[in-house]
């Protein structure tokens, strides 16, 4: 590569890198990510089971929790050993009905390789419901 091309490439990179860094989102801890998901919601009484037909979506929060559902009410499950959870895990659960309960075990598969990584035993499901704001 010619010296002039190398200098121009380095100069362009010097201009682009600060701009990319300025546009980057701040790194949030797993607990901060969960707190952000729960903003504007109020916790309800824990329940032992949820209906998987109405709460199909799940989000893994690294080493913290699994969040089920979307919309007005979501359910947060904090397994007994959350340190096993990774956000890129694929959750595999064998259900015998349409309900997911605190006695169920969730297998963890690595998303990139598809191999078995372990499992977590679920705890109670805490519902968090979005607070309705008063209209004018």
């Amino acid at each position: 590569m010619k010296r002039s091309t190398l200098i121009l490439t380095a100069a362009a990179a010097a201009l682009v890198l600060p701009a990319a860094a300025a546009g980057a989102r701040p790194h949030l801890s797993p607990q901060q990510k969960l707190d952000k998901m729960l903003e504007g919601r109020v916790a309800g009484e824990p329940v032992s089971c949820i209906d998987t037909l109405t709460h199909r979506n799940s989000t893994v929060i690294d080493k913290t929790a699994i969040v089920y559902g979307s919309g007005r009410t979501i359910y947060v499950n904090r397994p007994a050993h959350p340190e096993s959870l990774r956000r890129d895990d694929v959750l595999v659960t064998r259900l015998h009905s349409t309900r997911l309960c605190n006695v169920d075990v969730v297998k963890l598969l690595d998303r990139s390789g598809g191999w078995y990584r372990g499992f977590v035993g679920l705890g109670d499901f805490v519902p968090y419901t979005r607070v309705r704001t008063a209209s004018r």
Side-chain angles (χ1 to χ4, degrees):
M1 185 180 272
K2 291 185 178 180
R3 184 181 166 136
S4 60
T5 305
L6 186 61
I7 291 172
L8 287 174
T9 303
L15 292 173
V16 171
L17 289 176
R25 290 187 226 158
H27 179 71
L28 299 176
S29 73
Q31 186 59 50
Q32 289 171 323
K33 288 178 185 176
L34 180 58
D35 291 344
K36 188 173 175 99
M37 291 178 80
L38 300 178
E39 279 179 7
R41 295 177 186 270
V42 175
E45 288 295 317
V47 296
S48 57
C49 298
I50 60 171
D51 186 353
T52 58
L53 295 177
T54 55
H55 304 292
R56 293 180 190 205
N57 299 339
S58 63
T59 303
V60 176
I61 308 294
D62 283 336
K63 300 177 181 174
T64 305
I66 305 170
V67 179
Y68 291 94
S70 61
R72 187 162 182 254
T73 301
I74 59 175
Y75 290 83
V76 176
N77 191 291
R78 292 181 182 264
H81 298 283
E83 63 275 2
S84 301
L85 296 171
R86 294 189 320 201
R87 71 177 172 85
D88 58 343
D89 283 336
V90 174
L91 306 177
V92 179
T93 308
R94 175 179 259 168
L95 298 175
H96 302 286
S97 71
T98 61
R99 296 172 60 80
L100 183 63
C101 296
N102 59 3
V103 295
D104 288 323
V105 173
V106 176
K107 289 183 181 180
L108 307 173
L109 297 181
D110 181 86
R111 183 176 304 277
S112 60
W115 58 81
Y116 174 71
R117 281 197 340 90
F119 66 91
V120 292
L122 296 176
D124 284 339
F125 298 84
V126 179
Y128 286 85
T129 304
R130 188 171 288 127
V131 178
R132 293 185 191 254
T133 56
S135 55
R136 298 180 210 212

